[in-house]
Amino acid sequence: MMSDQDPTIAKEPVIDLRSVSLNQNIKLALLDLLQGIKQWRIGWKLGLLDIKLRYRGSILGPLWITIIMGTKITTIGILYAFLLHLDLKSYFTYVSISIVLWTYISSMINDSCNIFTNARTLILSQRIPFSICVWRTIFANILILGHNLLVIIVVFTIFKIVPHSLYLLLPAAFLWVMDSLAIGILFGILGTRFKDIPPIISAFTQAFFFITPIIWKASSLHFNSNYILLNPFYPLFEIVRSPILGESLSYSIWLAAIGYSLILWILALFIFSKTRFRIPYWM
């Protein structure tokens, strides 16, 4: 009887007691990533299901995401604009973009720590690429991001602002998705192996909220602003914010964003290739 199993998966033996070199592990890890991309529809359906289950029984459903985000942005935007004596229109639009982006990246980081643990039943019941579990979390957070974008649209409409250079968001969006995939793999493995990782990562994420230009601007610093590039979140935010707000974007920011992404991917791919087969035993 012919098997319907993916032929690319069948090439990898179920049990192989021979020692495997680092190059072979990297090839198998890349094959897992490739299979995850080919089967992205599974990750999309699982991510959509997660959102539906989260708001099952709610009257407004996912619209609560938009309402909560709108309330948060309105409170911070008005309060800090008056406290810091800033122009309400300029600061409100800046904060709306920043908080929506931060909500996505912080949720992605925190959710990544439990990616494989939450998918324990799925992983142990059938053989699937581990990267599908990462895509599941990415798509779920992208859906939430889509709801939060409605707040930005409302803010820009109220202040009659026309976004600039939206075409520059395409490479930025691609970089964000690739970084999300690397974050999911890296923190997913660390969170599965070490149960103390989720609260530690959550604490560091909260700390970075205050040291990253989100509710304040880098231009307000009284020292050399180039030092802010040492914060890996700053260039990632600037490649999205600046095109929308029509601000100039230096090549150093793009180089920093790409550089941090490469470092992140090197770490993620190395750890993924070395520990991929141990994930089911750690859950």
Side-chain angles (χ1 to χ4, degrees):
M1 185 175 180
M2 296 298 291
S3 173
D4 295 331
Q5 187 180 25
D6 190 337
T8 56
I9 297 179
K11 293 179 181 179
E12 185 179 345
V14 176
I15 299 178
D16 192 344
L17 301 180
R18 294 173 300 176
S19 60
V20 182
S21 65
L22 179 60
N23 290 335
Q24 290 174 315
N25 278 327
I26 292 177
K27 290 179 180 179
L28 292 174
L30 292 175
L31 180 61
D32 187 296
L33 295 174
L34 180 60
Q35 292 169 358
I37 294 175
K38 289 181 179 179
Q39 302 177 37
W40 65 270
R41 291 179 182 85
I42 300 177
W44 164 257
K45 291 180 180 179
L46 291 173
L48 183 60
L49 179 62
D50 288 342
I51 298 299
K52 289 181 178 179
L53 292 177
R54 183 183 301 183
Y55 293 95
R56 183 177 58 180
S58 173
I59 297 176
L60 297 179
L63 284 179
W64 277 115
I65 302 173
T66 307
I67 295 173
I68 294 172
M69 179 57 61
T71 304
K72 183 178 181 180
I73 290 176
T74 301
T75 303
I76 294 177
I78 295 177
L79 177 63
Y80 280 83
F82 280 98
L83 289 178
L84 302 177
H85 305 287
L86 301 173
D87 177 66
L88 181 62
K89 177 180 178 180
S90 174
Y91 182 73
F92 209 99
T93 52
Y94 175 86
V95 165
S96 64
I97 298 173
S98 301
I99 292 182
V100 167
L101 293 177
W102 177 257
T103 301
Y104 170 82
I105 195 66
S106 61
S107 297
M108 186 65 216
I109 292 174
N110 291 323
D111 292 348
S112 294
C113 296
N114 298 306
I115 279 181
F116 300 120
T117 303
N118 292 339
R120 181 178 184 273
T121 303
L122 180 62
I123 293 174
L124 296 180
S125 62
Q126 58 183 320
R127 197 174 188 191
I128 62 170
F130 292 108
S131 55
I132 285 183
C133 301
V134 180
W135 283 113
R136 174 185 185 176
T137 302
I138 292 175
F139 284 130
N141 281 283
I142 287 177
L143 287 170
I144 296 176
L145 175 63
H147 283 87
N148 290 335
L149 288 178
L150 295 175
V151 179
I152 298 179
I153 294 174
V154 171
V155 171
F156 275 60
T157 303
I158 292 175
F159 290 105
K160 298 179 180 180
I161 299 175
V162 179
H164 299 266
S165 308
L166 292 181
Y167 65 93
L168 293 177
L169 294 180
L170 294 177
F174 175 79
L175 194 63
W176 272 66
V177 172
M178 291 295 99
D179 285 351
S180 298
L181 183 58
I183 287 172
I185 293 172
L186 179 61
F187 291 111
I189 293 175
L190 293 177
T192 304
R193 178 62 180 88
F194 305 103
K195 304 308 178 184
D196 294 330
I197 288 295
I200 293 175
I201 294 299
S202 178
F204 273 97
T205 302
Q206 293 179 5
F208 268 100
F209 174 80
F210 295 102
I211 64 176
T212 303
I214 297 173
I215 58 177
W216 54 275
K217 296 185 177 182
S219 57
S220 63
L221 295 175
H222 298 292
F223 54 86
N224 191 342
S225 59
N226 290 328
Y227 287 114
I228 198 65
L229 289 176
L230 297 176
N231 184 335
F233 291 103
Y234 173 69
L236 197 62
F237 276 64
E238 279 301 294
I239 61 177
V240 177
R241 280 188 308 214
S242 295
I244 297 177
L245 298 176
E247 300 174 354
S248 60
L249 191 64
S250 63
Y251 289 107
S252 61
I253 293 179
W254 263 109
L255 290 176
I258 295 174
Y260 283 125
S261 298
L262 289 175
I263 294 174
L264 181 62
W265 261 105
I266 291 173
L267 290 174
L269 186 58
F270 177 77
I271 293 179
F272 189 47
S273 62
K274 294 288 289 185
T275 62
R276 190 173 64 92
F277 295 106
R278 302 176 184 176
I279 293 176
Y281 301 98
W282 289 342
M283 293 186 298

